[in-house]
Amino acid sequence: MFRNREIQLLLLTLCTISLIVAGATAAALSVQAALFVIVTAVLLISCSLLFTTWRYKEIEKLSAYLRQISSGDYSLDIRDNHEGELSILKNDMYKVTLMLSEHRSLLESDKITLTDAISDISHQLKTPLTSMMVMADLVSDPDLDESKRGEFTQNIRVQLERIEWLVTSLLKLSKIDAGTASFKKEKVYVTDMVQKAVEPVLIPIDIKEQQLTVTGEETVTFLGDFNWTAEAVLNILKNCVEHTEEGGVIHISFSENTLFTELTIKDTGKGIPKEDLPYIFKRFYKGKNAEDDSVGIGLAMAYSIVTSQNGDIEVSSNHEEGTQFAIKFYKRVI
C-alpha cells in the first residue's frame, strides 16, 4: 500500500499538519497540550491508515476477480447488497461478467453451428462429386460411343445443377441458423406471395396432370418477408407435388383473424407415415416415402424460415388420403 504515491502524499500532509498544529499549540498553550495534540493526530492517522488498508484490500480482491475473468473463469459471484460505491462497483462488475459469459456462450454456439454447416455441405457434396469423377473418366475414353458420351455429359450437367442447388440451400440454412439472415417485416399480401411461390412448380404440376386450386381473400396479409416466405411455401409445394400421384389435387387456402394469418397447403398424395411425422422438419431426414434423390433440406428450410418470422408449421397426414401443412403467422409475439 505504501508504494502508492497518493498514500505517501497523504501521510506527508497529515504529519506536516500535525507537527505544525503541535508546535503552534506548544507555543500558544503548553507542552502538555502539544503532546495531547500529537497523540490525537497519531490516533487519527492510524485510523485513516487502517481504513485505507481495508479499502486497498477490497480493490486487490476486485483486481484478482478481473484477472480470473480475463482467464475465462466466470464462476465467482461478487454481488454485494450493501450500500456504497464499492458495492455498486462490485454489482456492476458482476453484471458485466454475466454479459461476457453469455457472449462467450453465443460465440461457442456460432462456432458449433459453423462447424456443423461445413460438415453438412462437405458430406452432401461427396456423392455428386464422386459420380461426376466417374462419369468424367468414362467420357475421356476415346472409344466411347457418341450416344453414351452425350448421356454421361448430361448426367454431369445434372450433378452440377444438384451441387449448385445444394450449396445455395445449405448456405441459406446456415445463415438462418446463425441468425445472420435478414428478414424484413413488411406487409405481405398472401395472394401475391402464393403466386410467386407457385410459378416454379407449375410445369411439374402440368407434367403430372395435377390440379392446383387456390382460395382466399385478396386482402389477407401478414407481417413478414415476402421473398423468404415464398421460398418456404415453394419448398412445401415441391414436397406436395413429388408425393402426389398423377391426376391428384393440391389445394392452397388462406385466411386471417385477429390473432394470426393462416395458410394451408393440402395434397391428395399417399401421405406421410406416422413414425416419420415428428422428424420431417429435421435437416437431412428422409422418410420412408422419400425419393431416391431426396436430400431432406426443403422442409427443414421451410420450417426455419417460418419460425424465424414468429410463425409456426403444423402437419397432419393420413395414409393414402394426403397431407396438410398449416402455416400460421402470429400478429403478436406469444
Side-chain angles (χ1 to χ4, degrees):
M1 180 181 75
F2 293 102
R3 64 185 176 181
N4 295 291
R5 182 173 174 79
E6 63 270 18
I7 299 299
Q8 295 171 0
L9 288 174
L10 176 65
L11 282 175
L12 181 62
T13 304
L14 290 175
C15 291
T16 303
I17 293 173
S18 299
L19 291 174
I20 291 172
V21 172
T25 303
L29 298 175
S30 62
V31 176
Q32 289 79 6
L35 289 174
F36 179 76
V37 169
I38 291 174
V39 170
T40 304
V42 170
L43 290 174
L44 289 174
I45 292 172
S46 300
C47 288
S48 176
L49 288 177
L50 287 173
F51 173 74
T52 305
T53 302
W54 171 81
R55 193 167 54 181
Y56 270 76
K57 283 185 178 178
E58 290 296 313
I59 294 173
E60 190 177 348
K61 288 180 183 176
L62 293 179
S63 297
Y65 176 65
L66 288 174
R67 285 194 295 273
Q68 201 168 336
I69 294 172
S70 64
S71 65
D73 183 2
Y74 303 102
S75 59
L76 192 60
D77 187 350
I78 60 167
R79 281 177 291 180
D80 188 345
N81 295 324
H82 295 89
E83 295 288 340
E85 299 301 328
L86 199 58
S87 298
I88 294 173
L89 177 61
K90 288 179 180 178
N91 290 330
D92 287 344
M93 289 176 66
Y94 181 71
K95 290 175 186 174
V96 172
T97 304
L98 287 181
M99 289 174 59
L100 289 173
S101 177
E102 291 175 3
H103 186 61
R104 188 180 70 167
S105 299
L106 287 174
L107 288 176
E108 289 178 354
S109 175
D110 289 346
K111 201 180 293 181
I112 293 172
T113 302
L114 179 62
T115 304
D116 290 344
I118 293 173
S119 175
D120 291 343
I121 293 173
S122 172
H123 178 73
Q124 295 298 324
L125 290 180
K126 279 182 182 177
T127 303
L129 285 174
T130 304
S131 176
M132 287 173 59
M133 289 175 67
V134 172
M135 284 184 283
D137 288 340
L138 293 173
V139 169
S140 64
D141 184 356
D143 299 328
L144 185 66
D145 183 72
E146 282 303 319
S147 62
K148 283 290 181 184
R149 192 185 301 279
E151 179 185 342
F152 292 148
T153 304
Q154 175 62 22
N155 286 336
I156 291 174
R157 186 176 292 109
V158 170
Q159 294 299 334
L160 283 172
E161 290 173 353
R162 179 180 170 84
I163 288 174
E164 183 185 16
W165 176 81
L166 265 173
V167 172
T168 304
S169 299
L170 288 171
L171 286 177
K172 286 179 180 177
L173 261 178
S174 300
K175 286 177 69 177
I176 295 172
D177 291 344
T180 56
S182 97
F183 291 94
K184 295 178 183 175
K185 285 190 175 180
E186 56 190 7
K187 190 175 184 180
V188 176
Y189 285 90
V190 179
T191 304
D192 298 337
M193 187 271 295
V194 168
Q195 185 177 357
K196 178 180 175 65
V198 163
E199 285 177 358
V201 293
L202 288 178
I203 293 177
I205 286 176
D206 187 49
I207 292 173
K208 297 185 77 171
E209 298 181 345
Q210 295 169 340
Q211 183 183 355
L212 175 67
T213 60
V214 181
T215 58
E217 298 289 336
E218 293 185 356
T219 56
V220 176
T221 62
F222 70 94
L223 200 61
D225 189 291
F226 182 90
N227 292 318
W228 276 109
T229 310
E231 181 151 353
V233 174
L234 170 61
N235 283 320
I236 294 174
L237 280 171
K238 283 180 178 176
N239 184 81
C240 293
V241 172
E242 288 174 5
H243 294 90
T244 301
E245 302 296 334
E246 290 186 3
V249 177
I250 297 171
H251 181 63
I252 301 174
S253 63
F254 46 87
S255 59
E256 182 180 14
N257 58 39
T258 55
L259 296 178
F260 55 79
T261 300
E262 184 174 28
L263 171 71
T264 61
I265 305 169
K266 186 176 182 180
D267 65 50
T268 57
K270 49 193 171 186
I272 301 172
K274 286 184 179 179
E275 56 270 29
D276 289 336
L277 279 177
Y279 310 106
I280 61 168
F281 294 121
K282 286 191 174 182
R283 196 178 307 178
F284 305 125
Y285 182 77
K286 295 172 69 174
K288 290 182 178 178
N289 296 335
E291 302 289 338
D292 292 337
D293 60 347
S294 173
V295 179
I297 290 180
L299 292 182
M301 183 183 293
Y303 183 82
S304 294
I305 292 171
V306 172
T307 53
S308 295
Q309 300 183 85
N310 189 32
D312 191 21
I313 300 182
E314 293 180 358
V315 58
S316 58
S317 185
N318 292 312
H319 182 60
E320 300 298 340
E321 293 182 8
T323 303
Q324 174 174 300
F325 294 88
I327 303 173
K328 290 180 181 177
F329 291 103
Y330 295 95
K331 297 182 185 295
R332 294 180 181 177
V333 177
I334 58 172

